[in-house]
Amino acid sequence: MEKRAILFGMFHYTNNRSISADELPSTAFDVMILEKKLKQLQFKTSSYIDLGLKDVEQKILEFATTAPCDSLNVIYFSGHGGHSKGENYLYPVDFGINLDMGLSVDKSALNLNRIYPCFTRKVKLLIIVDACRDNLTPKYAGDFSEMVAPQNTYIAYATQFGDYSGCTAQVSYFTEALCENILTPNISIDQLFTNVRASLYLKHGKQISNSVNGLMSYVTLNGKCLKT
């Protein structure tokens, strides 16, 4: 089974009329350390920093349409994100610019629900969302809403719905906990993120990561996919 991953880090957000967004220097390091771990797990990886919406959409489309049948695919995003009208969004670095042009949130950011339909073959998909940062205009900050994972998809969030995720200038708390646990052999993806949740809370005392599971079989990052 082929294992593939694409990683995005959004560092240099700019303040615009529509939003005030601090830069997120930890995102570049988040991508670097997680990509290193994924390569240790024999994933084929590609990573990108500071892309605008059109480029993010194009990279995901290319990644999805080239995914072999029954492959394991990871999409990781570190940056700002939030929800609007019940939909969850990932914010590229040109989010504020797009809003200033009069575009809606839906046309300024990547809707999570638009990712899965890009995959034209039967695959297993893990989406890791390390967003929900609080240093953003309150109207658009964090506060992801609950959603259902599509079939054979697992979505891992850095924090609970309606809450914010923490980071330093060096690293995100969630990605740090993920990297500490991801090499554990022979555990399911669900158990991995349960371990991440425990590690995160033990170290920082308040942030509780969340996930929604639509996988139809046992899947592990460090081992084999077993059919049920």
Side-chain angles (χ1 to χ4, degrees):
M1 179 190 62
E2 186 170 334
K3 298 193 290 188
R4 313 161 71 244
I6 187 169
L7 302 90
F8 299 95
M10 302 297 158
F11 182 166
H12 296 98
Y13 288 91
T14 56
N15 291 319
N16 304 90
R17 294 193 310 274
S18 300
I19 66 166
S20 173
D22 289 348
E23 292 186 344
L24 296 174
S26 68
T27 58
F29 188 68
D30 293 337
V31 166
M32 182 182 72
I33 60 173
L34 181 58
E35 185 172 28
K36 181 178 179 180
K37 296 292 185 181
L38 289 168
K39 285 182 176 179
Q40 289 179 254
L41 294 171
Q42 308 304 311
F43 275 80
K44 296 178 180 179
T45 68
S46 54
S47 59
Y48 303 94
I49 304 296
D50 286 350
L51 295 188
L53 177 60
K54 290 187 181 299
D55 288 331
V56 171
E57 290 178 330
Q58 183 61 35
K59 294 299 182 184
I60 289 178
L61 182 61
E62 292 171 358
F63 180 74
T65 54
T66 57
C69 186
D70 205 37
S71 57
L72 174 56
N73 300 270
V74 175
I75 297 176
Y76 170 84
F77 182 93
S78 182
H80 284 303
H83 88 274
S84 176
K85 299 179 180 179
E87 298 288 334
N88 291 329
Y89 293 92
L90 307 177
Y91 300 158
V93 290
D94 62 353
F95 177 60
I97 296 172
N98 295 334
L99 291 174
D100 283 354
M101 293 171 59
L103 299 178
S104 65
V105 172
D106 192 61
K107 294 186 181 299
S108 300
L110 179 66
N111 188 327
L112 276 174
N113 280 323
R114 291 205 296 263
I115 294 177
Y116 183 79
C118 293
F119 288 83
T120 56
R121 300 178 183 88
K122 185 178 179 181
V123 301
K124 297 176 178 65
L125 177 61
L126 167 60
I127 302 174
I128 305 173
V129 181
D130 193 354
C132 315
R133 311 300 169 88
D134 62 355
N135 47 351
L136 180 68
T137 302
K139 179 180 178 181
Y140 299 108
D143 195 23
F144 279 120
S145 60
E146 292 190 47
M147 66 180 292
V148 176
Q151 185 176 3
N152 281 319
T153 300
Y154 192 100
I155 307 175
Y157 293 91
T159 190
Q160 290 177 309
F161 298 121
D163 205 353
Y164 299 109
S165 63
C167 66
T168 66
Q170 288 74 42
V171 68
S172 149
Y173 298 157
F174 172 72
T175 296
E176 180 183 42
L178 175 57
C179 288
E180 289 171 353
N181 287 275
I182 198 170
L183 298 183
T184 305
N186 301 319
I187 60 171
S188 68
I189 286 178
D190 202 38
Q191 184 61 54
L192 166 62
F193 284 99
T194 298
N195 295 351
V196 169
R197 186 177 305 121
S199 296
L200 184 60
Y201 188 79
L202 182 65
K203 188 168 185 177
H204 299 284
K206 58 179 182 178
Q207 186 174 330
I208 301 176
S209 56
N210 206 348
S211 58
V212 286
N213 188 355
L215 294 174
M216 306 300 289
S217 61
Y218 175 91
V219 181
T220 176
L221 299 186
N222 192 5
K224 298 180 178 180
C225 279
L226 303 179
K227 294 182 180 180
T228 57

